[in-house]
Amino acid sequence: MHKSGFVNIIGNPNVGKSTLMNAFVGERLSIITSKAQTTRHRIFGIVSGDDFQIVFSDTPGIIKPAYELQHSMMDFVKSALEDADILIYMVEVGEKELKDEAFFAKINKMNVPILLLINKIDKSSQEELENQVAYWKEQVPKAEIFPISALEGFQTAEVFNRILELLPESPPFFPKDQLTDKPERFFVNEIIREKILLNYKKEIPYAVEVETEAFVESEQIIHIRSVIMVERETQKGIIIGHKGEALKKVGVQARADLEKFFGKQIHIEIFVKVNKDWRSNARQLRRFGYKE
Ligand code: GDP
Ligand code: K
Ligand code: MG
């Protein structure tokens, strides 16, 4: 017998969704920072064994969309709610002030198993944790509750084993050696975007999109050419920085991660271009893979 299914991870921004998926897959497929809206796409992380295949979906955090890009991000969340075989709803210790009754009502009515993971318990006391479990039992009675630490790997094996038990009988959806649905260039873009999230303040990271124009692999080395797209001339100046120092730092940091990710020497050139209001432009969003 072979089991296979879609296990979709949803939750508020910054609760640790990407950290959990990477931990299960054993690769840094999803970028992680302490900033909300780090994850903009729905990303598959595929874990296969002899008789099972779990297709995890990492998704953007749930937000009220303010512009077209964020609408597309929430469409990824919606589709993850619709096609799950098992739903992982992740919360973090102490987030109960973000109560959303309509959302709870919706997931309580879903007819797939729901695992409600209370993450970051490394930061909580035993008493606080007990209160949290009681609270979530009341809000989402349908869910099985697991207190975990995605970062420290606490109780994540238990969650994984429960997923294996709940997984429906099915042939695999992807070749057994496939790790993700995204092409190599996607991960180049994401690694560069992570460095932008880490190096620039305020609005800058949210105005940025990265596009990789060339990815040429030979036996020894991968040659990459990427473009950082911003919405305004002033943002371009900030990205490049005084004498190009800021952009150089992004390049050095990205290259180090790319070498780890691809296991090869990397040569990378990064340019900055203005692409006015790309975040609000449906055609541009389609081009960057945010829309069908
Ligand atoms: P996402 O926005 O839900 O995908 O969250 P991320 O995976 O990007 O994580 C957001 C932040 O929470 C990062 O700084 C992570 O290192 C941190 N984080 C994730 N899991 C844990 C955990 O179990 N414990 C603690 N203390 N921090 C965590
Ligand atoms: K985040
Ligand atoms: Mg994320």
Side-chain angles (χ1 to χ4, degrees):
M1 186 188 72
H2 191 279
K3 291 175 140 195
S4 193
F6 288 83
V7 179
N8 302 347
I9 309 171
I10 62 160
N12 283 323
N14 270 346
V15 295
K17 299 179 295 299
S18 298
T19 304
L20 181 75
M21 186 175 86
N22 288 348
F24 281 149
V25 180
E27 297 278 342
R28 265 187 116 252
L29 290 182
S30 274
I31 60 171
I32 295 169
T33 79
S34 58
K35 291 182 184 172
Q37 300 181 52
T38 298
T39 307
R40 286 179 179 170
H41 295 260
R42 179 174 174 182
I43 302 163
F44 287 170
I46 306 167
V47 182
S48 298
D50 286 339
D51 54 1
F52 72 89
Q53 180 174 74
I54 309 173
V55 185
F56 289 101
S57 279
D58 186 18
T59 65
I62 300 165
I63 51 170
K64 282 213 169 60
Y67 46 85
E68 199 51 35
L69 168 65
Q70 294 183 333
H71 279 284
S72 297
M73 286 161 57
M74 291 311 101
D75 287 343
F76 290 136
V77 177
K78 200 165 150 238
S79 70
L81 271 170
E82 282 162 3
D83 66 15
D85 292 304
I86 299 169
L87 186 70
I88 291 187
Y89 177 42
M90 185 181 263
V91 300
E92 67 178 307
V93 169
E95 79 161 62
K96 70 178 174 192
E97 58 276 11
L98 300 170
K99 190 163 168 170
D100 182 343
E101 311 237 342
F103 177 73
F104 295 161
K106 183 173 177 168
I107 61 173
N108 275 318
K109 268 190 276 171
M110 288 178 61
N111 51 20
V112 297
I114 301 173
L115 308 184
L116 193 153
L117 311 187
I118 305 175
N119 191 30
K120 309 195 187 180
I121 64 166
D122 51 289
K123 296 205 297 193
S124 89
S125 67
Q126 188 58 35
E127 193 195 344
E128 188 184 7
L129 187 56
E130 280 165 18
N131 289 337
Q132 296 275 305
V133 172
Y135 172 81
W136 286 110
K137 266 201 180 113
E138 205 177 302
Q139 301 304 324
V140 193
K142 209 194 125 76
E144 290 176 40
I145 295 176
F146 291 82
I148 68 160
S149 170
L151 196 62
E152 298 188 354
F154 182 74
Q155 291 255 65
T156 49
E158 283 76 358
V159 174
F160 191 87
N161 290 335
R162 186 63 185 132
I163 291 168
L164 282 182
E165 284 172 8
L166 292 168
L167 215 55
E169 209 177 316
S170 155
F173 295 98
F174 295 93
K176 285 282 176 99
D177 59 357
Q178 190 169 334
L179 268 182
T180 182
D181 59 324
K182 294 278 188 278
E184 285 153 331
R185 285 170 200 234
F186 173 82
F187 297 99
V188 176
N189 299 344
E190 289 290 273
I191 286 169
I192 295 171
R193 208 164 55 74
E194 182 185 74
K195 301 314 167 200
I196 293 167
L197 279 152
L198 294 172
N199 281 296
Y200 300 90
K201 292 197 189 78
K202 296 194 187 126
E203 184 56 18
I204 293 289
Y206 302 98
V208 161
E209 176 63 6
V210 181
E211 195 173 37
T212 293
E213 297 181 337
F215 184 98
V216 182
E217 186 165 4
S218 62
E219 198 136 349
Q220 302 291 335
I221 189 166
I222 306 172
H223 290 274
I224 295 171
R225 188 176 63 243
S226 303
V227 176
I228 297 174
M229 226 86 69
V230 291
E231 293 190 311
R232 316 248 173 281
E233 250 348 289
T234 49
Q235 294 163 344
K236 179 173 170 179
I238 294 170
I239 292 283
I240 293 170
H242 182 61
K243 293 187 175 162
E245 288 298 329
L247 182 59
K248 194 170 156 206
K249 195 167 162 199
V250 167
V252 169
Q253 292 176 352
R255 186 170 152 250
D257 276 19
L258 288 163
E259 292 194 334
K260 257 187 256 158
F261 190 84
F262 291 107
K264 264 195 188 171
Q265 200 187 328
I266 301 285
H267 174 265
I268 186 164
E269 290 175 293
I270 304 178
F271 300 92
V272 187
K273 278 187 195 161
V274 178
N275 182 344
K276 207 169 162 295
D277 297 323
W278 69 267
R279 275 188 294 181
S280 316
N281 180 321
R283 196 172 60 83
Q284 294 298 327
L285 290 172
R286 209 165 289 121
R287 166 172 162 203
F288 300 133
Y290 294 108
K291 276 178 183 292
E292 298 285 289

